Amino acid sequence: MQSAINSADVNAATKEPVPYSGIQYVAIPQFQALGTQVGQYLAGAISGQTTVDQALKQAQDAAQKVAKEGGYQK
């Protein structure tokens, strides 16, 4: 795992070229579900169903819940 992290290239993180740089790597099983949930909160803010501040609070609350329930937060 450490080797994979060390060899990750932030300027070429995907197989095909993309117009952005950066990578994300979180090795916890809840990461994909949390990402989907946060995306839904942000979509709500973009569509006007909620405010940006509300969406960010919901996202932070969800992340803290995952961290606590998963035993990742000390």
Side-chain angles (χ1 to χ4, degrees), residues 10-35:
V10 299
N11 295 311
T14 61
K15 181 178 176 184
E16 300 296 325
V18 292
Y20 55 84
S21 63
I23 55 173
Q24 59 182 352
Y25 180 82
V26 181
I28 64 169
Q30 301 91 338
F31 182 67
Q32 185 173 352
L34 178 61

Side-chain angles (χ1 to χ4, degrees), residues 19-52:
Y20 55 84
S21 63
I23 55 173
Q24 59 182 352
Y25 180 82
V26 181
I28 64 169
Q30 301 91 338
F31 182 67
Q32 185 173 352
L34 178 61
T36 299
Q37 191 173 18
V38 169
Q40 290 172 342
Y41 295 144
L42 296 176
I46 290 169
S47 69
Q49 295 175 337
T50 187
T51 67
V52 171

